[in-house]
Amino acid sequence: MSASTISGAVASAANQVAVFGDPPPLGNGIGVKQMVVVNWQNTPFTFMINTNDQLFYSYPTTSSSFVGHLPAGSPPDPKDITTNYTSWKFVTGAAKQISVDLWNNQPYLYLINSKDELYYGNLYSTSTAPTATPEAAFSGWNFVTGAAKQVEVNDWGGSPYLYLINSKDELYFGNLYTGGPTSATPGRTAFSGWNFITGAAKQIEADPWRNSDYLYLINSKDELYYGNLYFDPATPGVPTGRASFSGWNFITGAAKDVTVSQWNGNPYLYLINSKDELYYGNLAASSTSTTIRPGPSAFSGWSFLTGAAKNVTVNQWNGNAYLYLINSKDELYYGSLYTTQAQTAPLTFTSHTAFTGWTFLTGAAKRVEVGQRESHPFVALVNSKNDLYFGNLTLARSTVYPWSTYLAFGGWIQGWTDPLS
């Protein structure tokens, strides 16, 4: 894949080797194994499991805003973007997998430990007044279940819904809810219990749409399906966990990995198939229903993006869907979907989706997560040495005539390095 130029007045420039800042102290961890980035208190909090199976969290701080004034192809001046992570805060050991979701304006952590036990706990603010720097503490852990293999969590209808694949490859759902205070019992968080959906589950993604929680399942036959939870008007709703499941709708076979991200009001699916080809497509509402809500949906079909795809992460920025792709050579690229218009008849224009093409960022990429910092994409990268870097995209201004605006990458800043590598 080659770097592409974005059409119109915005061009692209990638800084491939710019690294600024020293790694902060990191406890007794030695490298990054898994990370999740979630925006909380206007800050991208990073939750990270290291290669010693220890869970930490931290967040970046800046002494100045992201200011776009880079000449094309040049790295930023460190004095212009002085960003680094705070000291990493230890949460627990024996961590195997982490999922994070915001509920009641707090990050809730869902941890599968080395014994395959699922727990949850939350961060909460300890600030008594608004401050520029977030202040947080951890609640402690609450046990949910054993024999856990994979968990996906999504906030829907005022509750976090947990989608669990257990050691038997069975898919269940359940939700947390807040029990109302009484004269004898204060308000507390409780769990609804588990509801079976299906067996032979391999991967699950969840995304709310049309006031329902939509599930995207890859089964043991590598078939991709979707379905949704809904509330029957004749049964109680939240918090007693009486949601029902619509059943499955087939999309395609030969599915290897799926990522779901909404754009323009519809869920867009980014599929890597068994040939490592990356495609995208979207669901759209086709009708409504009063029985199984919200009603049928239609799938657009697949549009090809690239081959040799290994992993893709998607987020939204400036009205476009931005894709961050790691290919089979462990090279990291980004590109975006955008809406354009084509003339189909005299004085008639039709909107359609187009892709910018790929822009190279770096090699030796292992995993990438994307959050938001000061209205810019915040890109957190784990490289092949398990080192953590981060950087941001920005709309920069040329320093020479005609002083055009272009899309630029601010360069990589080191957040954590493996001292043994």
Side-chain angles (χ1 to χ4, degrees):
M1 292 177 292
S2 60
S4 297
T5 301
I6 298 178
S7 60
V10 178
S12 64
N15 305 309
Q16 301 174 13
V17 295
V19 177
F20 303 103
D22 295 324
L26 301 169
N28 57 351
I30 63 169
V32 180
K33 188 175 180 180
Q34 185 201 356
M35 64 176 174
V36 177
V37 178
V38 173
N39 280 74
W40 181 48
Q41 301 188 77
N42 298 315
T43 302
F45 272 69
T46 300
F47 300 89
M48 178 268 300
I49 297 175
N50 68 17
T51 49
N52 279 345
D53 296 334
Q54 298 166 321
L55 174 63
F56 291 81
Y57 74 88
S58 185
Y59 51 88
T61 59
T62 58
S63 58
S64 62
S65 297
F66 293 135
V67 179
H69 60 274
L70 312 176
S74 66
D77 189 325
K79 72 177 182 294
D80 293 328
I81 307 177
T82 53
T83 308
N84 216 329
Y85 273 98
T86 62
S87 296
W88 290 89
K89 297 168 179 62
F90 177 77
V91 183
T92 189
K96 188 175 181 180
Q97 182 194 136
I98 187 74
S99 181
V100 186
D101 183 66
L102 288 176
W103 182 43
N104 292 335
N105 198 31
Q106 294 176 338
Y108 272 69
L109 284 62
Y110 302 88
L111 173 78
I112 297 177
N113 68 11
S114 58
K115 296 181 179 180
D116 296 332
E117 298 168 329
L118 174 61
Y119 291 80
Y120 75 88
N122 65 281
L123 293 186
Y124 59 94
S125 175
T126 58
S127 303
T128 57
T131 62
T133 302
E135 300 174 14
F138 183 63
S139 64
W141 295 110
N142 302 274
F143 178 78
V144 184
T145 189
K149 188 175 181 180
Q150 181 192 145
V151 65
E152 172 80 4
V153 185
N154 201 36
D155 197 353
W156 171 58
S159 289
Y161 274 73
L162 285 65
Y163 301 95
L164 173 77
I165 297 177
N166 67 12
S167 59
K168 296 180 179 180
D169 296 332
E170 298 167 329
L171 175 62
Y172 291 80
F173 78 89
N175 66 284
L176 299 182
Y177 62 94
T178 301
T182 66
S183 58
T185 305
R188 71 192 194 285
T189 299
F191 182 64
S192 65
W194 295 109
N195 303 272
F196 177 78
I197 301 179
T198 190
K202 190 174 181 180
Q203 182 195 350
I204 187 70
E205 293 284 327
D207 184 67
W209 182 49
R210 302 174 69 191
N211 296 317
S212 293
D213 215 11
Y214 275 70
L215 307 184
Y216 303 88
L217 171 79
I218 296 178
N219 67 12
S220 59
K221 295 181 179 180
D222 296 333
E223 298 168 328
L224 174 62
Y225 293 81
Y226 76 90
N228 66 280
L229 297 188
Y230 67 97
F231 287 105
D232 187 329
T235 64
V238 174
T240 51
R242 300 301 186 194
S244 299
F245 183 64
S246 64
W248 296 110
N249 302 275
F250 178 77
I251 301 179
T252 189
K256 188 174 181 180
D257 183 80
V258 66
T259 299
V260 183
S261 180
Q262 288 202 30
W263 181 48
N264 289 340
N266 290 327
Y268 273 69
L269 283 63
Y270 303 89
L271 173 77
I272 297 176
N273 67 13
S274 58
K275 295 181 180 180
D276 295 332
E277 298 168 327
L278 175 62
Y279 292 81
Y280 75 89
N282 68 279
L283 293 182
S286 59
S287 63
T288 59
S289 171
T290 58
T291 305
I292 298 179
R293 300 180 176 183
S297 305
F299 184 65
S300 64
W302 296 109
S303 300
F304 178 78
L305 281 174
T306 188
K310 191 173 181 181
N311 178 266
V312 67
T313 301
V314 186
N315 83 323
Q316 317 300 316
W317 184 47
N318 284 347
N320 294 333
Y322 276 74
L323 285 64
Y324 302 84
L325 171 77
I326 297 176
N327 69 12
S328 58
K329 294 181 180 180
D330 296 333
E331 298 168 328
L332 174 62
Y333 293 79
Y334 75 89
S336 64
L337 298 181
Y338 62 97
T339 301
T340 187
Q341 290 187 330
Q343 187 170 356
T344 55
L347 302 179
T348 302
F349 294 85
T350 302
S351 296
H352 69 276
T353 299
F355 183 64
T356 59
W358 298 107
T359 297
F360 178 77
L361 281 178
T362 189
K366 188 175 181 179
R367 181 67 187 177
V368 67
E369 292 286 339
V370 183
Q372 181 173 300
R373 175 69 176 178
E374 298 182 6
S375 301
H376 292 72
F378 175 87
V379 184
L381 167 76
V382 176
N383 69 10
S384 59
K385 295 182 178 180
N386 295 322
D387 299 332
L388 172 62
Y389 292 85
F390 59 95
N392 69 283
L393 296 181
T394 184
L395 290 176
R397 299 187 301 273
S398 173
T399 58
V400 297
Y401 183 81
W403 299 290
S404 57
T405 300
Y406 61 92
L407 185 63
F409 181 69
W412 295 110
I413 299 171
Q414 200 163 33
W416 188 354
T417 185
D418 182 348
L420 302 180
S421 65

